[in-house]
Amino acid sequence: MKIGGHAYRTIWPEDDGARVAIIDQTKLPHRFEVVHLTTVDEAARAILTMQVRGAPLIGVTAAYGVALAMRVDASDEALAAAVAFLAKQRPTAVNLRWALEEMRRHLAPLEPGKRADAAFAHAGLLADQDVAMCKAIGEHGLQIIHEIAARKKPGEAVNVLTHCNAGWLACVDWGTATSPMYQAHDAGIALHVWVDETRPRNQGAALTAFELGSHGVPHTLIVDNAGGHLMQRGAVDLVIVGTDRVTASGDVANKIGTYLKALAAKDTGVPFYVALPQSTIDWTLEDGFVIPIEERSGDEVLRLSGRTADGAVHLFDIAPEGCVAANPAFDVTPARLVTGFITERGICAASRAGLLALYPERDAAA
Ligand code: MRU
């Protein structure tokens, strides 16, 4: 996607694989800064501190982290250590485990001397595949938006609500939840997006609003608690969110607050779709409530980051001194609340049967 007229991906190798460039998402929306990862430690830190975040991008960053590790030591032990080290940086998004397993499976049979170049090539392939999957998710999701647009009066916009950032910044390009929105906008459909601010890290305010604005998609930022009210008033035609892990039976882990949006959507009859690439499906789990939920520091709840009139970015305390805060970062939306999944292979019911209809090879693998 374009920033200031320049087309970017969220991650790319430079200098023949000596370093990997990322957009530092902790600086957005106030500063657009590219930083360089040169070691596996730096890749791990970028994932842990959320310089990169979003399930697909976490996975691709980890893949490049393995490649950076292989530049230094490509032994079997170093490969196993890099995979184990990167895997423990964030617990909920299954794309991390998926990408690391892809790298391990591809590299393990090779002679150590060939692993570094092969690792960069394979990480690049995973990045390209993510772009292709997100583009296809958008093409399938566009059908849903088209159908809603066809029922609207001339000039009336389709109103989509989204939570967190499941945009191109969370992936390599296009995004999952945002891909249908970009494609609808580009196709000339009048579209407006309600953007949940997504406390406490404000991925909606800082990232989704930034990227929709950069692409010219009309949008309005709302507080996290406004969605139910807007749905009751008929101001939301559909909800599309991303996900960090979908179980084989269709339960959905996503950013904290997603469940409340799904409940409100069910009560008001608003379709609630979850957009995902196949790398987000955890075929080893049935029950969403066993997905590990990341507990982050209470400091993220107690402090807000913001820019003051002089342009400086500061952290502000918003609670009394000594206040205790809890910060579960994700929640689980049961499959029964999900209208459907938008995947790179098409749209399906949020159920084992629905997923297997799109991924029949998994039936054989079971
Ligand atoms: O904590 P984050 O910012 O990594 O959480 C991101 C989300 O919850 C996204 O909605 C999810 O990863 C889907 S990204 C396409």
Side-chain angles (χ1 to χ4, degrees):
M1 305 300 285
K2 286 190 177 165
I3 302 286
H6 186 288
Y8 283 94
R9 284 185 171 188
T10 52
I11 187 164
W12 62 96
E14 284 184 352
D15 300 339
D16 245 358
R19 55 189 199 163
V20 175
I22 58 165
I23 298 164
D24 183 350
Q25 300 193 22
T26 62
K27 299 286 168 38
L28 289 171
H30 306 304
R31 285 204 299 274
F32 183 84
E33 276 181 23
V34 171
V35 299
H36 292 97
L37 311 175
T38 56
T39 64
V40 64
D41 286 350
E42 288 175 2
R45 202 170 320 120
I47 294 169
L48 183 69
T49 63
M50 294 174 68
Q51 285 179 305
V52 290
R53 27 66 53 205
L57 179 56
I58 291 171
V60 173
T61 306
Y64 276 115
V66 171
L68 290 167
M70 293 298 94
R71 280 265 183 268
V72 179
D73 179 354
S75 63
D76 288 355
E77 296 73 24
L79 176 58
V83 165
F85 174 55
L86 288 157
K88 67 181 186 204
Q89 300 306 316
R90 292 196 71 191
T92 304
V94 78
N95 305 59
L96 177 59
R97 187 181 82 196
W98 173 87
L100 289 167
E101 181 51 27
E102 276 288 310
M103 294 299 283
R104 198 201 53 73
R105 206 173 44 80
H106 186 73
L107 299 177
L110 303 180
E111 286 167 32
K114 299 207 164 127
R115 283 181 182 159
D117 286 348
F120 271 95
H122 203 60
L125 182 73
L126 297 187
D128 289 347
Q129 283 175 349
D130 190 69
V131 175
M133 287 193 288
C134 286
K135 186 163 185 288
I137 287 168
E139 286 158 6
H140 295 298
L142 177 58
Q143 295 165 17
I144 299 168
I145 296 176
H146 254 307
E147 282 162 24
I148 296 171
R151 299 197 293 268
K152 292 272 176 185
K153 296 196 190 93
E156 220 177 48
V158 175
N159 286 295
V160 188
L161 184 143
T162 193
H163 190 66
C164 193
N165 172 260
W168 74 272
L169 287 165
C171 304
V172 180
D173 208 344
W174 289 104
T176 54
T178 58
S179 185
M181 303 176 205
Y182 288 128
Q183 297 196 33
H185 175 79
D186 291 352
I189 296 175
L191 183 97
H192 166 263
V193 185
W194 297 108
V195 178
D196 282 355
E197 63 175 345
T198 318
R199 283 277 289 142
R201 294 285 297 217
N202 290 327
Q203 288 95 330
L207 305 176
T208 307
F210 171 79
E211 61 169 85
L212 291 174
S214 301
H215 197 78
V217 180
H219 60 281
T220 305
L221 186 65
I222 52 176
V223 297
D224 292 326
N225 294 326
H229 165 78
L230 292 170
M231 289 183 217
Q232 286 176 324
R233 299 289 164 111
V236 181
D237 294 302
L238 84 158
V239 179
I240 311 179
V241 297
T243 170
D244 292 82
R245 192 183 304 216
V246 161
T247 67
S249 63
D251 291 343
V252 172
N254 193 46
K255 182 54 56 194
I256 193 80
T258 302
Y259 171 55
L260 291 178
K261 294 295 132 61
L263 282 174
K266 187 75 168 180
D267 186 51
T268 53
V270 172
F272 182 94
Y273 284 95
V274 179
L276 64 137
Q278 58 175 295
S279 49
T280 305
I281 307 170
D282 186 344
W283 295 98
T284 70
L285 294 184
E286 288 291 327
D287 179 3
F289 292 98
V290 302
I291 295 172
I293 298 295
E294 181 176 11
E295 286 284 341
R296 295 187 63 86
S297 166
D299 287 354
E300 293 181 349
V301 180
L302 298 169
R303 296 201 184 100
L304 267 181
S305 157
R307 187 173 60 181
T308 49
D310 62 0
V313 175
H314 294 285
L315 273 178
F316 301 94
D317 293 332
I318 60 163
E321 213 169 306
C323 181
V324 174
N327 189 10
F330 299 91
D331 61 23
V332 174
T333 298
R336 66 174 187 279
L337 298 178
V338 178
T339 308
F341 291 141
I342 310 171
T343 79
E344 77 283 356
R345 292 200 188 170
I347 296 165
C348 71
S351 63
R352 171 171 270 282
L355 285 168
L356 285 176
L358 290 184
Y359 301 97
E361 69 275 18
R362 286 288 164 174
D363 210 6

